Amino acid sequence: MKAQLSELLTNYGPIQCIWFDGEWCIKDKGFDWKFDDIYGHIHSIQPGCLVVNNHHHATRAGEDVQTFEKDLPGENKNGLSGQVVVRTQPLETCDTMGYMWGYTIKEAGKWKSRDELLRLLVGAAGKGANLLLNIGPRPDGCLPEEAVERLEAMGDWLTRYGAAIYGTEAGPDRMDGRFATTRKGDEVYLFVFDGTAKTAVLKLDGKPKRIAGYLDGKEASFIGAPDGATVVTLPDSTEGIRVLRIEL
């Protein structure tokens, strides 16, 4: 493996990341993978190369990013990512556009919808995590039409709302599955997944100066609760995900 890594890290210019897909091929839990030696080898050739290992455990020395398979950090709804979240490291969620890794003809009718994928993207951003979204090419190398359609739809959404995702950090309130928040400087962005929700209760680190729709700028009313939380009256919207801008 070290010879292959040396080839990758010396013949192809700067490599941003080496991503190991866990330890599935050997069931012996006592097997010594010599990760210390492997990670040290990678960083000795390209110190800036990030090392990620999808092994479903707490990160080890030499690993630069903690990844969670098919789950947002800390949720473990699918039973693969029960490890403790390490807040001192960059976080990542790796997930599929359908329900299996790689292309399979059995995927027909099982693709995640645009809104499901957007909730995954926003949810990851709300937890301060990157989203690694898998695409499985067909045997001829082409991308499935279903994948292309969803990527284009997500791209259209990001054209309008991307500033609330790109360059942000986890919001001040991780909230529940109906909402998410991200933050950039003195602005917090509230994402509402629940189309029936009339209010949102936020724990902000400061009193809002203004809360308004992200695109139309229409102001939303809000009041302070006795416990210091902010209760926002949510405007109606035809969008699958409502987005509000909060100025602190």
Side-chain angles (χ1 to χ4, degrees), residues 35-36 39-40 42-43 49-52 59-65 89:
F35 283 126
D36 287 346
Y39 298 162
I42 292 170
H43 289 139
C49 179
L50 297 176
V51 171
V52 187
T59 49
R60 304 183 177 109
E63 295 172 0
D64 304 300
V65 178
Q89 285 187 310

Side-chain angles (χ1 to χ4, degrees), residues 115-128:
D115 282 354
E116 285 179 298
L117 292 171
L118 285 174
R119 289 190 202 104
L120 185 62
L121 171 65
V122 172
K127 291 178 178 289

Side-chain angles (χ1 to χ4, degrees), residues 82 84 102 123 128 147 149 158 176 179 191 218 223 229 244:
V84 175
E149 290 172 357
L158 284 167
D176 57 32
F179 308 94
F191 301 86
K218 184 178 179 180
I223 60 173
L244 286 78

Side-chain angles (χ1 to χ4, degrees), residues 36-182:
D36 287 346
D37 188 30
I38 292 171
Y39 298 162
H41 182 68
I42 292 170
H43 289 139
S44 70
I45 300 173
Q46 292 207 29
C49 179
L50 297 176
V51 171
V52 187
N53 195 330
N54 182 36
H55 47 47
H56 303 170
H57 305 299
T59 49
R60 304 183 177 109
E63 295 172 0
D64 304 300
V65 178
Q66 186 179 27
T67 192
F68 297 81
E69 182 175 355
K70 283 184 167 288
D71 261 310
L72 296 175
E75 294 195 356
N76 196 30
K77 294 177 180 178
N78 288 298
L80 296 175
S81 298
Q83 65 266 44
V84 175
V85 180
V86 181
R87 296 291 177 189
T88 57
Q89 285 187 310
L91 305 176
E92 174 185 87
T93 285
C94 56
D95 209 335
T96 58
M97 298 190 73
Y99 292 88
M100 296 185 70
W101 296 104
Y103 174 76
T104 170
I105 196 170
K106 296 179 181 179
E107 198 79 279
K110 297 181 179 179
W111 292 84
K112 295 181 178 71
S113 69
R114 183 207 78 148
D115 282 354
E116 285 179 298
L117 292 171
L118 285 174
R119 289 190 202 104
L120 185 62
L121 171 65
V122 172
K127 291 178 178 289
N130 174 60
L131 174 63
L132 188 159
L133 188 58
N134 178 75
I135 305 173
R138 290 174 174 158
D140 63 1
C142 294
L143 297 180
E145 293 178 3
E146 296 89 343
V148 174
E149 290 172 357
R150 285 156 177 76
L151 288 173
E152 289 178 343
M154 293 175 75
D156 289 342
W157 188 89
L158 284 167
T159 298
R160 291 175 289 154
Y161 296 106
I165 299 293
Y166 296 125
T168 61
E169 58 186 4
D173 194 330
R174 306 286 161 81
M175 309 189 72
D176 57 32
R178 300 184 303 153
F179 308 94
T181 58
T182 61

